[in-house]
Amino acid sequence: MLEKLPEVIGQALQGVRAGLDNIVFNTLGMREGMAFIALTSVAFADHAPLPRRYTADGEGVSPPLQWTGLPAGAASLLLIVEDADSPTPNPLVHAIVVNLAADSGALAEAAIPSQGNEGAGLHVGRNSTLQAAWLPPDPPPGHGVHRYAFQLFALGSVPELSDTPGRDEIVDALHEHAIASGLLIGTHERSDGSIKIQEGVTPGGPMAAG
């Protein structure tokens, strides 16, 4: 969606960012004393670029994740992925997954549904385009590096949530039930003004609108 912006607009908006302080992990007001989850990925290191495959410039599937260090009282897990650098008042939500089994240990690549991929049958909430799916990173051309915050929370119980909960609903659930949290950041930048090329079109051909 944001890749449709002209590069000059992305450059003009470089100072307009939601901010890492505004991701759910940092706004719960529960960091002190909360147990820490070690959240990692075999596909990228913390604060390193996301492989193209997981962005709007590639296949656009969700990356694999794995974690350790859950507290003994964990009954379920909740994942939210946000763009801390979106030129919006609040971070752009790229995915929400709720009611993950506490003993799952990992999410496989493409487990979250996305365009052309039905996923692994997870309980998925609404992203910022109001779709129950993985929204592939697609920062505005010329806007600089964007940080995508993968945030995993352990809950002390299994909350009752709607079929497709949004950010506000899951934040309320976290305030009531969260007992541990983990954070992993992947980055993506579209600095050269390029937009994903239509399938079957050579680099010298017309560019896709998005």
Side-chain angles (χ1 to χ4, degrees), residues 112-187:
I112 305 173
S114 55
Q115 186 172 5
N117 164 51
E118 63 182 17
L122 304 172
H123 186 171
V124 179
R126 299 189 309 278
N127 60 35
S128 285
T129 63
L130 304 183
Q131 302 297 310
W134 166 252
L135 177 63
D138 60 347
H143 195 246
V145 175
H146 279 221
R147 294 164 295 178
Y148 297 89
F150 294 76
Q151 304 154 81
L152 184 70
F153 298 90
L155 285 67
S157 60
V158 181
E160 292 186 9
L161 297 168
S162 63
D163 290 341
T164 54
R167 187 182 193 271
D168 290 345
E169 184 177 352
I170 68 110
V171 166
D172 287 343
L174 290 172
H175 274 297
E176 186 174 352
H177 302 281
I179 57 174
S181 61
L183 175 65
L184 172 67
I185 291 180
T187 66

Side-chain angles (χ1 to χ4, degrees), residues 31-83:
R31 294 298 310 131
E32 186 175 351
M34 183 182 285
F36 178 72
I37 301 169
L39 178 62
T40 59
S41 175
V42 296
F44 63 97
D46 189 31
H47 285 84
L50 289 164
R52 182 183 179 92
R53 172 172 175 78
Y54 307 117
T55 74
D57 294 320
E59 290 85 346
V61 296
S62 61
L65 300 170
Q66 53 276 336
W67 50 85
T68 58
L70 295 184
S76 66
L77 303 174
L78 186 154
L79 175 74
I80 179 169
V81 184
E82 296 178 289
D83 179 1

